[in-house]
Amino acid sequence: MSRTNWGLVLLLMLIVSLISTAPARIVALLLPSNKIIIQGFSGTLWRGRASRGLIAVGPGFVHLGRIRWSVNPLSLLLFSPRLTVNAEWGNQRIDGQVTFGGSSEFGFEDFSANMSAQLVRQFAPLNVAGDLSVHLDELQIKAGIPSAGSGRVVWRD
């Protein structure tokens, strides 16, 4: 093998090493800052944590609390990044897999969430009580509109 080939192999190994150990705070650069706010990063880009997260819903933000994620590296090769996400804040819990298919296309699989029904206030001026429990086997969103899905939503108390 020539020196040039060895140099290219070493350069490729360096790039892979840098990407595989990239710090989690790079996530903040990849997300739209006007829709998702995440702070207090630790870990790596591939398996990380954040101490605080907020997501824009309607006219305001919903607090997600402590967030953990892991990225499936094979999904990046297929140009369809898949994340396993877990968020906790008080009694609110969110778990599942999120797949990004493009700038305005994403899907949820084996996704569950438990949250206060007062979240409805973000969408309509209603005074509601109780808890919402959501389990989605699958949900596809295209251009901000659900296009396919199956699951259930339960409103308790």
Side-chain angles (χ1 to χ4, degrees):
M1 223 176 181
S2 70
R3 286 185 174 183
T4 305
N5 288 343
W6 277 110
L8 290 175
V9 168
L10 288 175
L11 180 63
L12 181 61
M13 288 174 56
L14 176 65
I15 291 171
V16 169
S17 175
L18 288 174
I19 290 173
S20 66
T21 61
R25 68 179 173 266
I26 290 177
V27 169
L29 302 173
L30 302 174
L31 298 174
S33 61
N34 60 338
K35 297 191 186 257
I36 301 174
I37 299 170
I38 299 179
Q39 300 169 334
F41 292 99
S42 62
T44 67
L45 179 64
W46 308 105
R47 187 174 300 273
R49 295 174 297 283
S51 61
R52 180 175 182 233
L54 298 141
I55 188 166
V57 176
F61 283 86
V62 172
H63 199 303
L64 298 175
R66 187 176 47 240
I67 302 170
R68 290 179 300 183
W69 71 87
S70 63
V71 178
N72 180 339
L74 182 60
S75 68
L76 296 175
L77 295 175
L78 302 172
F79 300 107
S80 184
R82 177 180 291 228
L83 301 168
T84 300
V85 179
N86 172 277
E88 297 178 14
W89 186 53
N91 291 333
Q92 178 178 295
R93 305 262 189 271
I94 299 171
D95 288 296
Q97 294 184 358
V98 182
T99 304
F100 298 93
S103 63
S104 62
E105 186 176 326
F106 57 96
F108 299 97
E109 292 179 31
D110 193 22
F111 197 84
S112 62
N114 293 312
M115 62 196 74
S116 171
Q118 292 181 5
L119 179 64
V120 172
R121 289 186 199 181
Q122 295 287 348
F123 304 103
L126 299 172
N127 189 13
V128 294
D131 295 314
L132 291 175
S133 177
V134 179
H135 181 76
L136 303 173
D137 297 321
E138 166 186 25
L139 178 63
Q140 299 297 317
I141 309 267
K142 294 181 180 177
I145 300 172
S147 62
S150 65
R152 70 175 186 254
V153 177
V154 178
W155 187 353
R156 293 181 294 212
D157 301 327

